[in-house]
Amino acid sequence: MNGLRIILADPDPTGLPAAVWLLKLLLVFTFVLHLFFMNVVLGGGPVWLWANWRARRFAKSGVRGPQSEVMRGRTSDAGYRVEPSTSDLGPRTSDHEVLAHAIGRVLPVATAFAITTGVAPLLFTQLLYGQLFYTSSVLMAWPWLAVVGLLLAGYYANYGIFASRPGTLRAFSLGALSVLLFAAIGFLFTNNMTLMLRPELHAPLYLASDAGLHTNMADAWMWPRFAHMLVGSLAVTGLVVAWIPRIRRGFDPDSAGWVGRFGVRLFMAATLVEFLVGVAFFFALPRPVKDVFLGGRTPDALLVAAGAAFALAAVAIVRRSLLVGSCATIVALADMAVVRHRVRAVLLEPYFQPDSLPVVPQAAVFVLFALLLVAGLAIVTWMIWKFVTAAPARAEEPVAPV
Amino acid sequence: MNFPVWDVPLLGGSLLIAVIAILHVFVAHFAVGGGLFLVWTEARAYRTGDEPLLRYVRAHSRFFVLLVLVFGAVSGVGIWWIIALVSPSATSTLIHSFVWAWAIEWVFFFVEIAAAFVYYYGWERLDRRTHLAVGWIYFAAAWLSLFVINGILTFMLTPGRWLMSHTLADGFFNPTMIPSLVIRTAVAIALAGLYALLTASRRGAWWRAPETGGGDEALRRRVTRYAAGWLLVGAGVLPFAGAWYVSRIPDAARLLTVGGAPAVTIFAALSVMLSLLIVLITWFGPYRRPELANVLVASVLVVLGLGVTGVTEWVREAVRKPYVIYSYMYSNGILEADRAVVADRGILQTAKWVDVRAVAGNRAEAAAEVFRVECRSCHTIDGYNAVRPLLKGWSEPYIDYQLQRLNELKGYMPPFVGTDAERRALAIWLAEVGRRPALSAPPSQAGAVAAQTALRDEEVVR
């Protein structure tokens, strides 16, 4: 092999079916949607696990959490049967159990939508960056293919969580499994998404082995990027937890207050930790990216600053207004998705610019897609509205899929 | 040629695609037909005031959601994963040519998943009219999703006018699109019956009459016969739709199913025979004598159904050979249009991901590279579709002769493209492979070792 060789696949001869800016916009927009649901799955698992640990029934002592919050009599509103208590306090549920139950109900739906919303950005990634993405995927073919199996197992684990009574050993084990599986999926995604940005590694790695067993673990910025995603997902999960008692009916007022406060606290703590991780991540970024974001290009530097500012604003205001805090967080998330896109663009600049790809517009079909998207969203909104405004399910009817 | 080739020893990439795709197809068609089955049966139960039947539909919907929403959706994503790894060039073409079709399919998929959740969690919450409406929305979205994917799938075998125009509409509305859509819709209905037989054979909670607490055997027989009816109706359409489909595929592809390639012919015959067997068992068993139906019978039918799905999908893929996109791209990712250039300049010069650029003193390494680029996407050395057993006893001149006329002698194989020197090197290398015992290392590993050493020496600069 002669020196450092960079091999880059040729662009697809078919050309792009729309202007590059439109495809980039769709890529970033659908990624933000995915980010939200994916964060709930990734962050919901650890919160479920923790809540189950605090509400555990399998420990010898039988203590299910701090005494202060134990033992308010209530029946489960859905999802699992409340077993008769052996003590004289009657059926009861601790706050942690309520929290676990609330998250457990969200997890399968969030998983489904994390997958559904994930398909679109992956489609646009392949369209714009296929020349790099297919190569990095082949380099780590086996680990990358493992995502499918891990996802299948993790999804079923989340259904198992849904059907489990919080605090039981079964619930705890399924939670641990779900956390491990989804963290592994995130890890593999971070690997591939960073490896595809390193075309200079592709040829040496492939020519060393074509068995598809490479990863990008040796790349220094991969780890903080993964950590950034993990901690961020806890923050988003905190916000969602804070919303649950406001949206869903049938909560015991005391528990609802506790769950809401817990969600807000989790959001604030995770966001502050995210700042530290973010700084570490920033300094681990490859040189050219750091230079650009440190002020080499003003708009890019402003983007990073704006993201941090919105996140800080969200932390400052979330206690007074959950709505305003959530809106600020959504802006920060979208901003960070744009920053992520810019990092990609800056790193690839020396090798590849999507703007140079040939464009063969398919305007009519695009319009059809846009119309169907609007119609589809309208139908989904109608269904959800019908569901939310309908009378809640009969309390005694178990709806968990067992 | 444009992308690196992933070496999957023993299994081969195409077998990985087959395993994931067949399992997905078996569940995805149920996702469509089962949706119709649910809402149709629910409407029927309301119309006739049949509470026990409603109990069954609810129980069936739980099975449906757990299988379709999870396994169906994830395995569908899995197909995308594996084809991008095994045939990145073809995947890239499919995505670039049909991106808005994929995007439209994504809208239907999104609606489908949302409707499935609302339907499943809405049994108690929603009034009957709304619940039925959501059921119909689910089915419509699922079938439309099939409609879109069917258009793209059939394009690969019969791209039709797309080859000239390269427009999405020409590729999508291709010669086999409608017949295949009819087949797949019929299969979806048949599979709805097949899976319903499975849930009907389980004496679950639905089967217990709430008044007496005892098992409602009459209900079970009724549901069994009803489910068998669905299977038979779907299967009844298949011979006609199948004949229509076969009449529209390219002549060369049809030839493969009637003797052109023995394995394909055997599998095509198996597909017909297993289908017939399913129909006969269903007719004489669950339909005529529902009282005899049990978990064992239903399971046998499910296994046979999976078998039919497997061999039929395998045949559908196999008859496309030597192409992955007919008359456009060969199975190994080489474009028909690039043939002349590659033959002239050589595969080692035109392929991207090779370390050896010419045949010189490194003949074995060069040949191994040629094999990787041109043959690996279908063949392993030992394992699935292995070359070693095929080469046993073949001399170099004979292999070289075969390589020169590969596409004429074996209609399902792409032509060898490359220079004479590359072809001769490959022939020598293949002959050596054939002489060595099974599972032994390919003639030279020196290339890989050298590359590793070079990598260590240079250390990648960040």
Side-chain angles (χ1 to χ4, degrees):
Chain A
M1 209 173 64
N2 322 311
L4 268 180
R5 256 173 70 191
I6 289 169
I7 305 180
L8 193 65
D10 288 330
D12 197 280
T14 318
L16 293 175
V20 173
W21 66 265
L22 178 63
L23 298 172
K24 283 182 179 169
L25 184 75
L26 284 167
L27 168 60
V28 175
F29 173 70
T30 53
F31 177 71
V32 175
L33 292 180
H34 170 65
L35 197 57
F36 175 76
F37 290 106
M38 176 270 278
N39 278 347
V40 176
V41 177
L42 198 58
V47 177
W48 155 273
L49 199 59
W50 175 79
N52 266 280
W53 178 251
R54 299 298 301 266
R56 65 190 179 276
R57 293 156 193 286
F58 48 89
K60 258 193 209 155
S61 65
V63 173
R64 299 180 303 174
Q67 286 299 313
S68 61
E69 58 172 72
V70 178
M71 324 295 149
R72 267 187 301 278
R74 74 187 278 281
T75 51
S76 165
D77 53 345
Y80 58 91
R81 203 161 54 85
V82 173
E83 292 157 10
S85 169
T86 46
S87 78
D88 54 359
L89 288 166
R92 64 204 181 194
T93 321
S94 73
D95 288 336
H96 289 105
E97 201 170 337
V98 174
L99 170 66
H101 178 224
I103 296 171
R105 281 183 63 91
V106 168
L107 276 177
V109 182
T111 314
F113 284 101
I115 296 170
T116 319
T117 54
V119 166
L122 201 60
L123 179 69
F124 294 116
T125 301
Q126 294 193 14
L127 191 64
L128 286 167
Y129 302 99
Q131 287 161 267
L132 300 145
F133 172 79
Y134 292 126
T135 301
S136 61
S137 301
V138 169
L139 288 174
M140 52 178 289
W142 282 114
W144 185 237
L145 186 60
V147 167
V148 179
L150 296 171
L151 181 58
L152 194 60
Y155 200 165
Y156 276 118
N158 281 352
Y159 264 103
I161 282 174
F162 177 91
S164 303
R165 184 174 188 199
T168 57
L169 187 58
R170 175 188 134 106
F172 188 79
S173 318
L174 284 169
L177 187 66
S178 167
V179 168
L180 278 177
L181 292 171
F182 283 103
I185 292 170
F187 182 71
L188 293 171
F189 260 90
T190 310
N191 265 278
N192 200 1
M193 292 298 120
T194 50
L195 186 57
M196 70 174 267
L197 303 182
R198 298 303 213 129
E200 72 274 18
L201 300 178
H202 293 176
L205 287 174
Y206 181 69
L207 296 174
S209 162
D210 59 358
L213 288 167
H214 300 288
T215 60
N216 200 32
M217 282 194 266
D219 209 345
W221 69 307
M222 198 281 296
W223 295 94
R225 182 165 162 153
F226 177 53
H228 196 63
M229 205 51 108
L230 283 182
V231 177
S233 71
L234 285 173
V236 173
T237 304
L239 268 191
V240 170
V241 167
W243 275 104
I244 290 176
R246 299 199 182 197
I247 295 170
R248 274 194 52 224
R249 282 171 281 190
F251 265 93
D252 170 90
D254 292 340
S255 295
W258 186 86
V259 169
R261 282 194 302 279
F262 169 80
V264 167
R265 282 205 307 268
L266 176 63
F267 167 74
M268 292 169 67
T271 307
L272 292 175
V273 174
E274 183 74 328
F275 270 97
L276 301 178
V277 178
V279 170
F281 178 30
F282 187 85
F283 284 103
L285 279 171
R287 176 102 258 158
V289 186
K290 231 181 319 191
D291 291 345
V292 165
F293 285 101
L294 274 175
R297 284 182 213 162
T298 317
D300 286 318
L302 281 179
L303 265 181
V304 177
F310 273 103
L312 268 182
V315 172
I317 205 147
V318 71
R319 279 190 169 169
R320 268 167 292 163
S321 168
L322 185 57
L323 183 67
V324 177
S326 304
C327 289
T329 308
I330 289 171
V331 174
L333 271 186
D335 181 282
M336 284 303 168
V338 178
V339 170
R340 177 177 177 275
H341 183 77
R342 286 294 305 149
V343 169
R344 178 181 286 170
V346 170
L347 272 178
L348 292 181
E349 214 167 0
Y351 315 104
F352 166 80
Q353 295 95 33
D355 302 84
S356 65
L357 295 173
V359 175
V360 188
Q362 302 174 349
V365 204
F366 171 71
V367 172
L368 181 64
F369 158 66
L371 290 175
L372 284 169
L373 180 62
V374 172
L377 287 176
I379 290 170
V380 170
T381 311
W382 176 79
M383 289 190 297
I384 292 172
W385 176 73
K386 277 286 184 187
F387 187 82
V388 172
T389 55
R394 287 205 301 271
E396 74 272 21
E397 193 65 46
V399 290
V402 187
Chain B
M1 195 168 77
N2 196 23
F3 290 102
V5 182
W6 172 30
D7 177 24
V8 189
L10 301 177
L11 294 173
S14 49
L15 188 65
L16 290 179
I17 296 184
V19 169
I20 297 178
I22 288 165
L23 289 173
H24 173 71
V25 164
F26 193 54
V27 174
H29 284 78
F30 172 52
V32 179
L36 181 66
F37 179 90
L38 282 174
V39 69
W40 186 282
T41 314
E42 183 190 357
R44 182 183 150 126
Y46 290 153
R47 220 174 31 245
T48 55
D50 194 341
E51 277 298 325
L53 183 62
L54 207 56
R55 281 206 313 271
Y56 166 73
V57 183
R58 284 191 60 165
H60 186 62
S61 74
R62 170 177 300 179
F63 168 78
F64 179 83
V65 160
L66 281 177
L67 185 62
V68 163
L69 243 55
V70 184
F71 189 85
V74 175
S75 60
V77 173
I79 294 188
W80 196 19
W81 241 247
I82 188 69
I83 63 169
L85 289 173
V86 177
S87 302
S89 293
T91 309
S92 174
T93 302
L94 289 184
I95 283 182
H96 279 77
S97 307
F98 294 102
V99 75
W100 298 126
W102 289 117
I104 288 170
E105 197 276 329
W106 174 69
V107 173
F108 295 141
F109 178 48
F110 193 81
V111 174
E112 182 186 338
I113 298 287
F117 274 117
V118 174
Y119 184 83
Y120 179 66
Y121 293 117
W123 274 110
E124 283 301 311
R125 250 178 121 117
L126 299 175
D127 62 274
R128 292 183 162 187
R129 241 178 80 106
T130 312
H131 195 254
L132 278 177
V134 171
W136 283 111
I137 289 171
Y138 171 83
F139 169 63
W143 187 82
L144 285 167
S145 164
L146 167 72
F147 175 86
V148 177
I149 293 185
N150 173 67
I152 299 170
L153 259 181
T154 50
F155 154 83
M156 294 168 77
L157 178 60
T158 52
R161 285 181 308 209
W162 178 89
L163 291 170
M164 270 84 75
S165 69
H166 279 245
T167 63
L168 188 149
D170 279 342
F172 189 85
F173 296 102
N174 63 71
T176 56
M177 182 247 177
I178 304 273
S180 169
L181 185 64
V182 176
I183 291 181
R184 289 187 183 278
T185 306
V187 167
I189 289 169
L191 282 183
L194 186 70
Y195 282 100
L197 280 176
L198 192 66
T199 50
S201 69
R202 282 194 60 218
R203 293 173 168 83
W206 61 275
W207 167 74
R208 275 180 212 298
E211 312 82 46
T212 60
D216 189 347
E217 267 307 308
L219 168 68
R220 202 176 68 84
R221 284 179 204 173
R222 213 147 45 83
V223 174
T224 301
R225 197 176 148 85
Y226 174 73
W230 276 72
L231 197 160
L232 293 172
V233 166
V237 178
L238 284 177
F240 307 102
W244 184 17
Y245 175 80
V246 171
S247 76
R248 304 294 291 271
I249 63 176
D251 292 340
R254 199 175 317 113
L255 215 62
L256 292 182
T257 63
V258 289
V264 181
T265 310
I266 291 169
F267 272 51
L270 259 179
S271 165
V272 174
M273 289 192 308
L274 287 177
S275 303
L276 251 174
L277 190 61
I278 291 176
V279 168
L280 289 176
I281 293 177
T282 308
W283 173 262
F284 289 107
Y287 191 72
R288 298 282 297 274
R289 306 279 304 275
E291 68 277 9
L292 296 181
N294 54 29
V295 179
L296 184 69
V297 174
S299 305
V300 166
L301 284 171
V302 167
V303 170
L304 286 174
L306 181 61
V308 172
T309 309
V311 293
T312 315
E313 289 292 322
W314 190 88
V315 168
R316 187 186 58 70
E317 288 280 315
V319 298
R320 210 170 52 216
K321 288 182 175 183
Y323 295 103
V324 62
I325 297 169
Y326 222 81
S327 305
Y328 177 75
M329 185 187 284
Y330 289 106
S331 308
N332 50 19
I334 296 176
L335 292 177
E336 174 86 67
D338 287 345
R339 238 174 105 172
V341 179
V342 179
D344 184 44
R345 292 180 51 208
I347 189 75
L348 294 176
Q349 278 295 319
T350 43
K352 292 251 173 194
W353 300 85
V354 292
D355 205 20
V356 181
R357 287 290 173 190
V359 184
N362 52 353
R363 207 169 51 199
E365 286 89 346
E369 293 273 33
V370 173
F371 181 81
R372 178 157 74 179
V373 177
E374 293 214 28
C375 320
R376 261 280 190 225
S377 54
C378 296
H379 288 288
T380 60
I381 304 273
D382 303 283
Y384 181 73
N385 208 12
V387 287
R388 203 191 304 273
L390 298 172
L391 294 163
K392 210 127 211 97
W394 284 20
S395 65
E396 286 154 30
Y398 184 61
I399 294 173
D400 194 40
Y401 174 84
Q402 292 267 336
L403 286 175
Q404 288 174 53
R405 295 163 187 81
L406 212 48
N407 50 327
E408 295 157 23
L409 295 169
K410 298 174 169 39
Y412 45 87
M413 284 181 74
F416 171 84
V417 281
T419 61
D420 290 349
E422 286 168 346
R423 195 194 63 240
R424 276 194 294 272
L426 181 62
I428 294 167
W429 187 82
L430 285 174
E432 183 59 33
V433 168
R435 276 193 291 273
R436 293 191 182 190
L439 296 173
S440 61
S444 172
Q445 289 290 350
V449 174
Q452 266 160 351
T453 318
L455 185 69
R456 265 202 307 278
D457 292 344
E458 281 160 16
E459 267 308 308
V460 181
V461 182
R462 301 276 158 86

